[in-house]
Amino acid sequence: MSRKVSLGTREVVFPSEDLQQLRDCNHLLNNPEALRKEIQEKGYLFIRGFHNRQEVLQARLSILEYVNKEAEFKLVAPPTEGVLDERCGRGCIPFMEGKNDITHSPEVLRVLEGHRPRMFFERFLDSEVKTFDFKWLRGINRKQFTGAHVDNVYMGRGSRNLFTVWTPFGDTPVEMGTLAVCEGSNSLPSFRQLQETYGELDIEKENVEGTGWFTEDPFEITSKFGGKWKTSDFQAGDVLIFTMRTVHMSTSNLTDYVRISCDTRWQPADEAADPRYVGDIGAVAPKYGLFGKEKEKVQKVEDLKQLWGI
């Protein structure tokens, strides 16, 4: 059954030509070579039941308890449902990224760095593996979304064999804010100009102001470069794995529930890691995205796009 949802700034029908259904790759899980080919061609792996469902739900409860304790407005009782207070606006959910008590709690780490993901990446990368100490744990409330971007602009100072795992904590329908990927954006020839310009950008080094997103409009991507936007309803335990060059964004949260998710990054242990996200990171304040506080940046992505001719 088709539903009206919001992808970034655009209202779309799901599923439709504008926003298609992801197909999982669970049938390839015993074939690492086929998985590598899949992600090289499409830019992502959609895996059902990657994490233990009960462990994900237990971690969700721990995160909701933290949110209810630290948020400007308490969650509507019972807080375990994750319903937002009607007064909760932008910024009312506490900042949770980095290395702290909640991102590195036993319940959360059991999901993010436990036996299942570590075993998967050791087979997938055919190597011992490591993950960033920094965790991008987020709560997204009403009408919020993430704009279209590639992760390389934020963390491109280490291994090229770096992969992002997007883990939603709980059952997450498209109306609640799911991740959407532009299939083939990492590999299609039509994306070459974008990858050679924006994709090579280091937003910190080049003094870029704001979020670092390429656009909030998904159709700017497809009209200029091609590809197909795809997403799905996610169940607790499902993940989306993608490359540093895969263009992705999120649907908007149209519900009264807080959408909780986390990004983690995995790479071969013997390759260089981006030093900003490993080791003794210390206290971290939000720089980019919805809660970015940077005020000293001197360039804007929109100005750079004109310079690049895209």
Side-chain angles (χ1 to χ4, degrees):
M1 181 178 178
S2 297
R3 300 123 65 182
K4 286 187 177 180
V5 300
S6 180
L7 180 61
T9 58
R10 296 289 195 129
E11 184 178 274
V12 298
V13 173
F14 174 77
S16 70
E17 184 66 17
D18 291 330
L19 184 58
Q20 300 177 7
Q21 172 68 50
L22 286 166
R23 292 187 178 181
D24 70 66
C25 64
N26 286 61
H27 61 291
L28 302 177
L29 290 181
N30 291 323
N31 189 340
E33 184 176 350
L35 289 171
R36 289 190 285 269
K37 181 179 179 181
E38 179 93 349
I39 202 168
Q40 288 167 4
E41 291 180 354
K42 294 184 176 181
Y44 66 88
L45 301 173
F46 176 40
I47 304 178
R48 296 285 192 188
F50 182 83
H51 300 297
N52 179 282
R53 176 178 174 84
Q54 293 307 314
E55 290 182 353
V56 172
L57 294 175
Q58 183 58 53
R60 173 181 171 80
L61 290 177
S62 298
I63 297 167
L64 286 173
E65 289 174 359
Y66 175 86
V67 170
N68 198 48
K69 177 182 177 183
E70 301 293 333
E72 179 182 359
F73 299 111
K74 303 298 182 184
L75 298 174
V76 176
T80 53
E81 295 295 318
V83 179
L84 294 161
D85 185 291
E86 62 181 9
R87 296 169 294 174
C88 185
R90 181 171 177 169
C92 77
I93 297 173
F95 181 71
M96 295 184 285
E97 296 182 1
K99 185 176 182 180
N100 51 56
D101 290 344
I102 188 60
T103 62
H104 286 65
S105 66
E107 297 87 355
V108 171
L109 286 184
R110 191 176 295 116
V111 173
L112 301 181
E113 296 186 11
H115 176 69
R116 288 192 178 193
R118 186 165 297 276
M119 181 175 64
F120 171 85
F121 276 101
E122 285 177 350
R123 295 187 65 210
F124 175 64
L125 295 174
D126 192 24
S127 168
E128 292 187 8
V129 295
K130 62 183 175 185
T131 184
F132 285 177
D133 297 303
F134 192 105
K135 310 297 178 198
W136 287 259
L137 180 61
R138 302 186 180 103
I140 302 297
N141 60 14
R142 300 181 193 91
K143 298 183 180 180
Q144 290 185 342
F145 65 89
T146 300
H149 65 281
V150 298
D151 283 353
N152 197 63
V153 303
Y154 306 109
M155 52 202 66
R157 300 182 188 178
S159 171
R160 296 300 177 186
N161 294 308
L162 179 63
F163 297 89
T164 297
V165 181
W166 185 73
T167 300
F169 284 88
D171 297 336
T172 308
V174 175
E175 291 87 350
M176 198 170 168
T178 56
L179 208 68
V181 291
C182 189
E183 184 171 285
S185 54
N186 65 308
S187 60
L188 289 172
S190 57
F191 278 85
R192 183 173 299 149
Q193 185 182 18
L194 179 140
Q195 294 292 356
E196 291 178 352
T197 54
Y198 171 72
E200 290 290 336
L201 185 66
D202 182 326
I203 62 173
E204 187 174 336
K205 181 179 179 181
E206 299 299 327
N207 294 328
V208 175
E209 176 183 63
T211 63
W213 300 340
F214 184 83
T215 182
E216 295 184 359
D217 181 358
F219 299 152
E220 181 179 350
I221 295 293
T222 50
S223 65
K224 289 181 176 180
F225 309 108
K228 298 290 184 181
W229 285 107
K230 296 192 174 184
T231 192
S232 180
D233 296 318
F234 285 73
Q235 301 297 309
D238 298 346
V239 299
L240 197 58
I241 302 173
F242 51 95
T243 77
M244 291 294 104
R245 296 303 188 122
T246 304
V247 179
H248 59 284
M249 65 185 304
S250 80
T251 62
S252 295
N253 186 356
L254 304 179
T255 75
D256 291 329
Y257 296 89
V258 57
R259 188 271 274 165
I260 300 169
S261 69
C262 192
D263 293 347
T264 48
R265 271 85 191 189
W266 293 80
Q267 67 170 71
D270 61 354
E271 296 185 12
D274 192 316
R276 293 171 291 182
Y277 307 112
V278 295
D280 185 12
I281 300 170
V284 178
K287 286 187 176 183
Y288 310 110
L290 293 170
F291 306 107
K293 303 299 183 183
E294 290 290 328
K295 299 299 181 184
E296 301 177 358
K297 303 304 181 184
V298 296
Q299 296 195 83
K300 296 181 179 180
V301 170
E302 286 301 317
D303 294 335
L304 292 171
K305 284 157 68 173
Q306 293 187 24
L307 180 66
W308 297 326
I310 56 175

